[in-house]
Amino acid sequence: MAGSEVSRASDETFEQTQRQTWQAPWMDEGEEHERGLARFLVGEWRARFRESLAPAKRRDTLRSQLPHLTHLDPRFATSTHESASALAAQLREKGATDRCYLLSEDPDLDGRELPLDEALAAIADAGSRHATFISCVPGKLAYFHGTESGDRYLLELPG
């Protein structure tokens, strides 16, 4: 390869790397989504949330506390009462793909990756009584569905 071709190839590789979302080498995609959800909580609760994810016993405690979650950061949480299809459209407009990751009080949903439409239909339209986070873009875009009808939030970090 000539010098300019090598330089151009290096520039393209650098640009591709810059566009990719950074992920710690020890984290799988589910862990990245879960840890990213902590960014939507008020400061003092972020570390506690992250620490509760890994050990099975602490994770079960965290999941059982989701219905009582009152620590969403109001700067990033917008109350919503949209249907699943309207929520899906909103989330896609903001960068969501067709797949999402769930952190849920419901053991049948917890830790699963699902199609976004399917997850929202099962949770938002079905009126789920289980508190659930749907993570669309790790640490940047999510939906929280609480157990009470007014506990539904679109979660988005600016930028």
Side-chain angles (χ1 to χ4, degrees), residues 29-148:
E29 193 171 339
E31 288 174 308
E32 184 182 9
H33 278 279
E34 289 178 354
R35 292 184 59 80
L37 290 171
R39 296 183 73 191
F40 299 113
L41 302 178
V42 290
E44 63 270 14
W45 289 94
R46 288 180 189 152
R48 181 180 281 176
F49 184 90
R50 285 185 181 125
E51 290 168 2
S52 297
L53 290 169
K57 188 173 184 172
R58 289 178 101 186
R59 181 185 173 85
D60 288 345
T61 301
L62 171 67
R63 288 180 42 240
S64 72
Q65 293 173 348
L66 287 178
H68 314 290
L69 184 69
T70 59
H71 312 295
L72 291 175
D73 191 325
R75 297 176 299 168
F76 311 129
T78 304
S79 182
T80 185
H81 300 286
E82 301 288 342
S83 67
S85 60
L87 275 170
Q90 264 188 312
L91 290 165
R92 283 192 178 96
E93 184 178 296
K94 295 176 180 293
T97 63
D98 289 332
R99 309 260 331 147
C100 61
Y101 181 85
L102 283 67
L103 173 65
S104 181
E105 171 192 17
D106 183 344
D108 293 333
L109 295 175
D110 184 54
R112 292 188 59 198
E113 183 181 312
L114 294 173
L116 180 61
D117 294 324
E118 183 181 323
L120 288 168
I123 294 163
D125 278 355
S128 175
R129 302 295 296 162
H130 297 283
T132 302
F133 277 104
I134 297 176
S135 178
C136 301
V137 179
K140 295 182 181 180
L141 182 65
Y143 168 71
F144 178 73
H145 180 92
T147 56
E148 302 297 321

